[in-house]
Amino acid sequence: MKLSELSEQSGVPIASIKFYRRENLLPPGRSLGATTADYDESHVRRLKLIRAMTRFGGLSVAAVRDVLAALEEPHSPVEVLGIVDYAIPADLPEDAETTDGGPSWAADLIERMGWDVSDHSPHRAALDARMRALHRLGMDWDIEELLPYARLAEQVAHLDAARIELPADPEILAERVVVFSTLFGPVMPLLRRFAHENQARGRIADV
Amino acid sequence: MKLSELSEQSGVPIASIKFYRRENLLPPGRSLGATTADYDESHVRRLKLIRAMTRFGGLSVAAVRDVLAALEEPHSPVEVLGIVDYAIPADLPEDAETTDGGPSWAADLIERMGWDVSDHSPHRAALDARMRALHRLGMDWDIEELLPYARLAEQVAHLDAARIELPADPEILAERVVVFSTLFGPVMPLLRRFAHENQARGRIADV
């Protein structure tokens, strides 16, 4: 396929493709003359991966190059999981995306869980933005699949509640909540990553 | 107390205290003359809160001002939780702190859970840095208190495993993992926040 078609199929603008070529992140196409080249499915796959790493993973070009180099070696799927998992920072900045007034995953989920959550919660829009982005990238989630996560989140919140005291002074309380949410909040995703790695290694052992 | 003592007790440098005074985030002390003022415990508390919000919560001075203004009104503890929770972004950038070779929470936890995790996992240092920061701020955690979180993280990882396919092509797999970790990963902390709010509202209803 031609450059324009590669851009269309991968969803990556031509200027970006040329940049990735210059940076040697994308291998050359088969030369069809001085100015044209023929690209194939392997280029589409590579571009999608580069895009995922830079756009969602927040990786620098140098970090992407390291991951791609690691993937060049023969690896089992589980090893690939490990390479990528170690490369992506555990905490990522919030996506700035806003809602477009479409159907709300958050509203459905909150209703199904019977939760009492303000309509003004900023976390509703944040959840919807993520679910929509996943949908656009071909990862569709049924609300039924999300519910088990919500039930586990509820158990985590119960552990938290047993841990956070409620001092009467609003400033002391506010300070405790900031410290707890910002420093302890990200501990859970780290534990999840350990559990992933442990599981992945178990899968090797099972084979 | 004098300015120097206020700085010592709050852990906030004098230059920063003066900045917070100019920005009107910190109320004036009782004037003792043209150049000296007397501060009390309320100033210490206020400074600790400002510090927690700017340093750990990543809030701008303007956002801190909004939270402080909201706290000026009389609020129940549960309402304070809500104000702070809505103000702090759900995803925060990783703390750049590194290990100092002290005792490792991660190592203890991984051993207690019987998990198989590489010594080279970058998430070990990340966990230790957070636990040490909490310790410095007076929030001490026993490993026993962390274990229930690890067990729930394991259940979350099981849900994830059922969800992530393992395509044979390493680039497709890597792309799926990046998309899943970066877009779906932060969904769990959002669900936890909903559960917190629901719980807090339940506490009001119980009173």
Side-chain angles (χ1 to χ4, degrees), chain A residues 140 145 149 160 163 171, chain B residues 46 140 145 149 160 163:
Chain A
D140 270 315
E145 293 171 295
Y149 285 96
D160 295 340
R163 181 77 205 173
E171 293 202 359
Chain B
R46 173 62 63 97
D140 270 315
E145 293 171 295
Y149 286 96
D160 294 340
R163 180 79 205 172

Side-chain angles (χ1 to χ4, degrees), chain B residues 2 19-21 26-27 31 38 42 58-59 66 88 92 99 107 141-142 145 151 154 178 197 205:
Chain B
K2 289 202 293 194
F19 171 74
Y20 297 141
R21 267 295 300 126
L26 183 74
S31 174
D38 185 37
S42 74
L59 295 196
D66 288 347
I88 305 169
L92 290 153
T99 44
W141 287 77
D142 200 277
E145 293 171 295
R151 289 192 201 101
E154 200 161 47
V178 174
E197 175 169 346

Side-chain angles (χ1 to χ4, degrees), chain B residues 50-195:
Chain B
I50 295 171
R51 207 59 171 170
M53 288 195 285
T54 54
R55 215 169 133 187
F56 305 118
L59 295 196
S60 66
V61 165
V64 168
R65 180 172 292 121
D66 288 347
V67 172
L68 293 177
L71 292 180
E72 294 288 320
E73 311 288 315
H75 284 298
S76 70
V78 166
E79 287 167 325
V80 172
L81 291 178
I83 292 166
V84 175
D85 177 66
Y86 282 11
I88 305 169
D91 299 330
L92 290 153
E94 181 90 36
D95 215 353
E97 212 165 343
T98 53
T99 44
D100 58 4
S104 167
W105 288 88
D108 278 4
L109 183 89
I110 288 167
E111 195 192 324
R112 287 291 295 274
M113 291 298 293
W115 282 345
D116 182 8
V117 172
S118 162
D119 289 343
H120 303 296
S121 171
H123 310 312
R124 286 175 177 262
L127 178 65
D128 288 341
R130 298 212 168 268
M131 298 315 292
R132 265 201 312 280
L134 284 164
H135 170 76
R136 275 200 308 275
L137 291 159
M139 294 189 97
D140 270 315
W141 287 77
D142 200 277
I143 189 92
E144 298 295 337
E145 293 171 295
L146 217 46
L147 288 174
Y149 286 96
R151 289 192 201 101
L152 289 175
E154 200 161 47
Q155 292 186 52
V156 174
H158 277 294
L159 292 179
D160 294 340
R163 180 79 205 172
I164 308 179
E165 311 125 58
L166 295 180
D169 182 286
E171 293 201 358
I172 297 180
L173 175 59
E175 190 244 16
R176 293 288 89 180
V177 174
V178 174
V179 168
F180 187 89
S181 314
T182 57
L183 287 178
F184 187 69
V187 163
M188 191 72 191
L190 292 172
L191 299 178
R192 184 182 185 176
R193 295 224 178 182
F194 289 139

